[in-house]
Each structure stands twice: as structure tokens, then as C-alpha cells.
Short mmCIF file of all heavy atoms in Angstrom, two decimals:
data_model
loop_
_atom_site.label_atom_id
_atom_site.label_comp_id
_atom_site.label_asym_id
_atom_site.label_seq_id
_atom_site.Cartn_x
_atom_site.Cartn_y
_atom_site.Cartn_z
N THR A 863 -49.00 -37.75 5.30
CA THR A 863 -48.42 -36.47 4.86
C THR A 863 -47.21 -36.03 5.66
O THR A 863 -46.62 -35.01 5.37
CB THR A 863 -49.46 -35.33 4.93
OG1 THR A 863 -49.86 -35.13 6.30
CG2 THR A 863 -50.68 -35.67 4.05
N HIS A 864 -46.84 -36.81 6.70
CA HIS A 864 -45.67 -36.40 7.49
C HIS A 864 -45.02 -37.63 8.07
O HIS A 864 -45.45 -38.18 9.07
CB HIS A 864 -46.10 -35.46 8.59
CG HIS A 864 -44.95 -34.77 9.25
ND1 HIS A 864 -44.95 -33.39 9.46
CD2 HIS A 864 -43.78 -35.20 9.73
CE1 HIS A 864 -43.80 -33.04 10.03
NE2 HIS A 864 -43.09 -34.12 10.23
N ALA A 865 -43.93 -38.08 7.44
CA ALA A 865 -43.18 -39.24 7.89
C ALA A 865 -41.71 -38.97 7.88
O ALA A 865 -41.23 -38.03 7.18
CB ALA A 865 -43.51 -40.42 7.01
N HIS A 866 -40.94 -39.77 8.62
CA HIS A 866 -39.47 -39.66 8.67
C HIS A 866 -38.89 -41.06 8.52
O HIS A 866 -38.16 -41.54 9.39
CB HIS A 866 -39.02 -38.99 9.97
CG HIS A 866 -39.48 -37.63 10.16
ND1 HIS A 866 -38.98 -36.52 9.44
CD2 HIS A 866 -40.42 -37.07 10.96
CE1 HIS A 866 -39.55 -35.41 9.85
NE2 HIS A 866 -40.48 -35.73 10.74
N TYR A 867 -39.19 -41.72 7.41
CA TYR A 867 -38.72 -43.09 7.21
C TYR A 867 -37.25 -43.20 6.89
O TYR A 867 -36.70 -44.30 6.82
CB TYR A 867 -39.58 -43.80 6.14
CG TYR A 867 -41.00 -44.01 6.59
CD1 TYR A 867 -42.05 -43.40 5.91
CD2 TYR A 867 -41.27 -44.80 7.68
CE1 TYR A 867 -43.35 -43.61 6.32
CE2 TYR A 867 -42.57 -45.01 8.11
CZ TYR A 867 -43.62 -44.40 7.43
OH TYR A 867 -44.91 -44.59 7.84
N ASP A 868 -36.55 -42.07 6.71
CA ASP A 868 -35.12 -42.09 6.56
C ASP A 868 -34.41 -42.16 7.91
O ASP A 868 -33.18 -42.34 7.97
CB ASP A 868 -34.62 -40.86 5.80
CG ASP A 868 -35.02 -39.56 6.44
OD1 ASP A 868 -36.16 -39.44 6.97
OD2 ASP A 868 -34.21 -38.60 6.42
N ASP A 869 -35.16 -42.04 8.99
CA ASP A 869 -34.58 -42.10 10.35
C ASP A 869 -33.93 -43.48 10.55
O ASP A 869 -34.39 -44.50 10.06
CB ASP A 869 -35.67 -41.85 11.37
CG ASP A 869 -35.11 -41.69 12.77
OD1 ASP A 869 -34.88 -42.72 13.46
OD2 ASP A 869 -34.91 -40.55 13.19
N GLU A 870 -32.86 -43.48 11.35
CA GLU A 870 -32.11 -44.69 11.61
C GLU A 870 -32.94 -45.77 12.31
O GLU A 870 -32.62 -46.97 12.27
CB GLU A 870 -30.87 -44.40 12.43
CG GLU A 870 -31.15 -43.83 13.82
CD GLU A 870 -29.90 -43.49 14.58
OE1 GLU A 870 -28.79 -43.53 14.00
OE2 GLU A 870 -30.01 -43.19 15.79
N ALA A 871 -34.02 -45.36 12.92
CA ALA A 871 -34.92 -46.33 13.60
C ALA A 871 -35.49 -47.34 12.59
O ALA A 871 -35.90 -48.43 13.01
CB ALA A 871 -36.03 -45.60 14.31
N PHE A 872 -35.50 -46.99 11.32
CA PHE A 872 -36.07 -47.84 10.29
C PHE A 872 -34.98 -48.59 9.47
O PHE A 872 -35.29 -49.22 8.46
CB PHE A 872 -36.96 -47.07 9.33
CG PHE A 872 -38.15 -46.42 10.01
CD1 PHE A 872 -38.11 -45.06 10.37
CD2 PHE A 872 -39.27 -47.14 10.30
CE1 PHE A 872 -39.19 -44.48 10.99
CE2 PHE A 872 -40.35 -46.56 10.94
CZ PHE A 872 -40.31 -45.24 11.29
N ASP A 873 -33.76 -48.53 9.92
CA ASP A 873 -32.69 -49.12 9.15
C ASP A 873 -32.81 -50.62 8.93
O ASP A 873 -32.46 -51.13 7.89
CB ASP A 873 -31.32 -48.86 9.83
CG ASP A 873 -30.81 -47.44 9.65
OD1 ASP A 873 -31.43 -46.68 8.83
OD2 ASP A 873 -29.81 -47.07 10.30
N GLN A 874 -33.41 -51.31 9.91
CA GLN A 874 -33.50 -52.76 9.81
C GLN A 874 -34.61 -53.25 8.88
O GLN A 874 -34.47 -54.33 8.31
CB GLN A 874 -33.71 -53.35 11.22
CG GLN A 874 -32.59 -53.09 12.19
CD GLN A 874 -31.26 -53.62 11.72
OE1 GLN A 874 -31.19 -54.78 11.25
NE2 GLN A 874 -30.23 -52.84 11.83
N ASP A 875 -35.69 -52.47 8.76
CA ASP A 875 -36.82 -52.96 7.98
C ASP A 875 -37.44 -51.90 7.06
O ASP A 875 -38.58 -52.03 6.64
CB ASP A 875 -37.90 -53.49 8.91
CG ASP A 875 -38.39 -52.45 9.90
OD1 ASP A 875 -37.89 -51.30 9.89
OD2 ASP A 875 -39.35 -52.74 10.66
N ARG A 876 -36.69 -50.87 6.72
CA ARG A 876 -37.23 -49.77 5.94
C ARG A 876 -37.78 -50.26 4.59
O ARG A 876 -38.90 -49.87 4.19
CB ARG A 876 -36.14 -48.71 5.69
CG ARG A 876 -36.62 -47.48 4.92
CD ARG A 876 -35.51 -46.49 4.68
NE ARG A 876 -35.03 -45.94 5.95
CZ ARG A 876 -33.86 -46.25 6.50
NH1 ARG A 876 -33.02 -47.11 5.88
NH2 ARG A 876 -33.49 -45.70 7.63
N ASP A 877 -37.03 -51.04 3.86
CA ASP A 877 -37.45 -51.47 2.54
C ASP A 877 -38.74 -52.30 2.62
O ASP A 877 -39.68 -52.11 1.87
CB ASP A 877 -36.33 -52.26 1.85
CG ASP A 877 -36.69 -52.65 0.43
OD1 ASP A 877 -36.87 -51.73 -0.40
OD2 ASP A 877 -36.78 -53.84 0.14
N LEU A 878 -38.74 -53.24 3.56
CA LEU A 878 -39.94 -54.08 3.77
C LEU A 878 -41.16 -53.24 4.14
O LEU A 878 -42.26 -53.44 3.60
CB LEU A 878 -39.65 -55.12 4.86
CG LEU A 878 -40.78 -56.08 5.19
CD1 LEU A 878 -41.11 -56.97 3.99
CD2 LEU A 878 -40.41 -56.92 6.41
N LEU A 879 -40.93 -52.27 5.02
CA LEU A 879 -42.03 -51.41 5.46
C LEU A 879 -42.63 -50.62 4.30
O LEU A 879 -43.83 -50.58 4.08
CB LEU A 879 -41.53 -50.49 6.55
CG LEU A 879 -42.57 -49.47 7.10
CD1 LEU A 879 -43.71 -50.18 7.79
CD2 LEU A 879 -41.89 -48.48 8.03
N LEU A 880 -41.74 -49.93 3.53
CA LEU A 880 -42.19 -49.10 2.48
C LEU A 880 -42.85 -49.90 1.34
O LEU A 880 -43.82 -49.41 0.72
CB LEU A 880 -41.06 -48.23 1.95
CG LEU A 880 -40.58 -47.14 2.91
CD1 LEU A 880 -39.33 -46.44 2.40
CD2 LEU A 880 -41.67 -46.10 3.14
N LYS A 881 -42.35 -51.05 1.09
CA LYS A 881 -42.94 -51.89 0.06
C LYS A 881 -44.32 -52.45 0.45
O LYS A 881 -45.10 -52.86 -0.40
CB LYS A 881 -41.99 -53.04 -0.31
CG LYS A 881 -40.81 -52.57 -1.14
CD LYS A 881 -39.89 -53.75 -1.48
CE LYS A 881 -38.74 -53.27 -2.37
NZ LYS A 881 -37.80 -54.42 -2.68
N SER A 882 -44.57 -52.49 1.76
CA SER A 882 -45.84 -53.04 2.24
C SER A 882 -46.91 -51.99 2.39
O SER A 882 -48.07 -52.33 2.73
CB SER A 882 -45.60 -53.71 3.61
OG SER A 882 -45.36 -52.75 4.62
N MET A 883 -46.62 -50.72 2.10
CA MET A 883 -47.57 -49.63 2.34
C MET A 883 -48.92 -49.86 1.64
O MET A 883 -49.97 -49.81 2.26
CB MET A 883 -46.96 -48.30 1.91
CG MET A 883 -45.83 -47.82 2.77
SD MET A 883 -46.40 -47.34 4.41
CE MET A 883 -44.92 -46.70 5.12
N LYS A 884 -48.89 -50.11 0.37
CA LYS A 884 -50.15 -50.21 -0.38
C LYS A 884 -50.97 -51.42 0.07
O LYS A 884 -52.20 -51.38 0.04
CB LYS A 884 -49.87 -50.22 -1.90
CG LYS A 884 -49.40 -48.87 -2.39
CD LYS A 884 -49.52 -48.74 -3.91
CE LYS A 884 -49.13 -47.33 -4.36
NZ LYS A 884 -49.34 -47.13 -5.80
N ASP A 885 -50.28 -52.45 0.44
CA ASP A 885 -51.00 -53.63 0.98
C ASP A 885 -51.68 -53.31 2.30
O ASP A 885 -52.59 -54.04 2.70
CB ASP A 885 -50.03 -54.80 1.16
CG ASP A 885 -49.57 -55.37 -0.15
OD1 ASP A 885 -50.24 -55.18 -1.19
OD2 ASP A 885 -48.49 -55.99 -0.17
N ASN A 886 -51.24 -52.25 2.96
CA ASN A 886 -51.83 -51.84 4.22
C ASN A 886 -52.63 -50.56 4.10
O ASN A 886 -52.76 -49.80 5.05
CB ASN A 886 -50.71 -51.70 5.28
CG ASN A 886 -50.15 -53.04 5.70
OD1 ASN A 886 -50.77 -53.76 6.49
ND2 ASN A 886 -48.99 -53.41 5.17
N ASN A 887 -53.09 -50.30 2.89
CA ASN A 887 -54.06 -49.21 2.66
C ASN A 887 -53.43 -47.81 2.71
O ASN A 887 -54.10 -46.83 2.91
CB ASN A 887 -55.20 -49.28 3.69
CG ASN A 887 -56.54 -48.92 3.07
OD1 ASN A 887 -56.78 -49.27 1.92
ND2 ASN A 887 -57.39 -48.24 3.81
N ILE A 888 -52.13 -47.74 2.50
CA ILE A 888 -51.43 -46.43 2.45
C ILE A 888 -50.97 -46.18 1.04
O ILE A 888 -50.09 -46.90 0.52
CB ILE A 888 -50.26 -46.37 3.43
CG1 ILE A 888 -50.73 -46.60 4.87
CG2 ILE A 888 -49.52 -45.03 3.33
CD1 ILE A 888 -49.64 -46.77 5.88
N GLU A 889 -51.57 -45.21 0.36
CA GLU A 889 -51.32 -45.00 -1.06
C GLU A 889 -50.10 -44.12 -1.31
O GLU A 889 -49.34 -44.38 -2.24
CB GLU A 889 -52.56 -44.38 -1.71
CG GLU A 889 -52.48 -44.36 -3.21
CD GLU A 889 -53.81 -44.03 -3.86
OE1 GLU A 889 -54.74 -43.59 -3.12
OE2 GLU A 889 -53.94 -44.22 -5.06
N TYR A 890 -49.95 -43.05 -0.52
CA TYR A 890 -48.86 -42.11 -0.72
C TYR A 890 -48.22 -41.72 0.60
O TYR A 890 -48.89 -41.71 1.64
CB TYR A 890 -49.31 -40.85 -1.45
CG TYR A 890 -49.86 -41.09 -2.82
CD1 TYR A 890 -51.23 -40.96 -3.10
CD2 TYR A 890 -49.02 -41.45 -3.89
CE1 TYR A 890 -51.74 -41.17 -4.35
CE2 TYR A 890 -49.52 -41.68 -5.14
CZ TYR A 890 -50.89 -41.55 -5.38
OH TYR A 890 -51.39 -41.79 -6.61
N VAL A 891 -46.95 -41.35 0.54
CA VAL A 891 -46.20 -40.91 1.74
C VAL A 891 -45.37 -39.69 1.37
O VAL A 891 -44.76 -39.64 0.29
CB VAL A 891 -45.26 -42.01 2.26
CG1 VAL A 891 -44.39 -41.49 3.43
CG2 VAL A 891 -46.03 -43.25 2.70
N ILE A 892 -45.38 -38.68 2.24
CA ILE A 892 -44.43 -37.58 2.12
C ILE A 892 -43.39 -37.73 3.22
O ILE A 892 -43.71 -37.65 4.42
CB ILE A 892 -45.07 -36.20 2.23
CG1 ILE A 892 -46.07 -36.01 1.06
CG2 ILE A 892 -44.04 -35.11 2.19
CD1 ILE A 892 -46.75 -34.66 1.05
N ASN A 893 -42.15 -37.99 2.84
CA ASN A 893 -41.06 -38.05 3.83
C ASN A 893 -40.52 -36.64 4.02
O ASN A 893 -40.00 -36.02 3.06
CB ASN A 893 -39.94 -38.99 3.35
CG ASN A 893 -39.15 -39.53 4.51
OD1 ASN A 893 -39.58 -40.47 5.20
ND2 ASN A 893 -38.00 -38.94 4.78
N VAL A 894 -40.62 -36.13 5.23
CA VAL A 894 -40.32 -34.74 5.49
C VAL A 894 -38.91 -34.59 6.04
O VAL A 894 -38.54 -35.19 7.04
CB VAL A 894 -41.33 -34.16 6.52
CG1 VAL A 894 -41.04 -32.69 6.78
CG2 VAL A 894 -42.77 -34.35 5.99
N ALA A 895 -38.12 -33.75 5.39
CA ALA A 895 -36.72 -33.51 5.79
C ALA A 895 -36.70 -32.60 7.04
O ALA A 895 -37.61 -31.84 7.30
CB ALA A 895 -35.94 -32.86 4.68
N ALA A 896 -35.61 -32.73 7.82
CA ALA A 896 -35.43 -31.92 8.98
C ALA A 896 -34.04 -31.29 9.06
O ALA A 896 -33.77 -30.40 9.86
CB ALA A 896 -35.69 -32.73 10.27
N SER A 897 -33.16 -31.74 8.19
CA SER A 897 -31.78 -31.22 8.14
C SER A 897 -31.29 -31.36 6.71
O SER A 897 -31.94 -31.92 5.85
CB SER A 897 -30.91 -32.07 9.07
OG SER A 897 -30.83 -33.42 8.61
N LEU A 898 -30.09 -30.82 6.45
CA LEU A 898 -29.51 -30.94 5.14
C LEU A 898 -29.28 -32.40 4.76
O LEU A 898 -29.49 -32.81 3.63
CB LEU A 898 -28.23 -30.14 5.04
CG LEU A 898 -28.39 -28.62 5.10
CD1 LEU A 898 -27.04 -27.93 5.17
CD2 LEU A 898 -29.18 -28.10 3.89
N LYS A 899 -28.83 -33.17 5.77
CA LYS A 899 -28.62 -34.61 5.53
C LYS A 899 -29.93 -35.31 5.14
O LYS A 899 -29.96 -36.10 4.21
CB LYS A 899 -28.02 -35.26 6.76
CG LYS A 899 -27.79 -36.75 6.62
CD LYS A 899 -27.26 -37.37 7.91
CE LYS A 899 -27.05 -38.86 7.76
NZ LYS A 899 -26.56 -39.48 9.02
N SER A 900 -31.00 -34.96 5.85
CA SER A 900 -32.26 -35.64 5.56
C SER A 900 -32.96 -35.09 4.32
O SER A 900 -33.86 -35.77 3.78
CB SER A 900 -33.22 -35.55 6.79
OG SER A 900 -33.53 -34.23 7.08
N VAL A 901 -32.55 -33.92 3.83
CA VAL A 901 -32.99 -33.48 2.50
C VAL A 901 -32.54 -34.51 1.48
O VAL A 901 -33.31 -34.97 0.63
CB VAL A 901 -32.42 -32.09 2.17
CG1 VAL A 901 -32.59 -31.79 0.66
CG2 VAL A 901 -33.12 -31.01 3.00
#
């Protein structure tokens, strides 16, 4: 319920990570904004 996968720390593997969620037992994610840019 609280993630920040838009953060630059995930730039290298973001797509791979998010696509692997259900295979790792994670059904839903809420990416929480913190600024206008992250909205």
C-alpha cells in the first residue's frame, strides 16, 4: 500500500521488478506521490 517505484533508485530495473510482482506473491501496489513531479 505504500511504494515509490518511480524513484530514480529503480531506474535500472523498474520494469523487470514491477513485472515480477505477481510471481513473487504481490498482487497490487499503490505508488504514492510526494511531489508534483511524482504525481
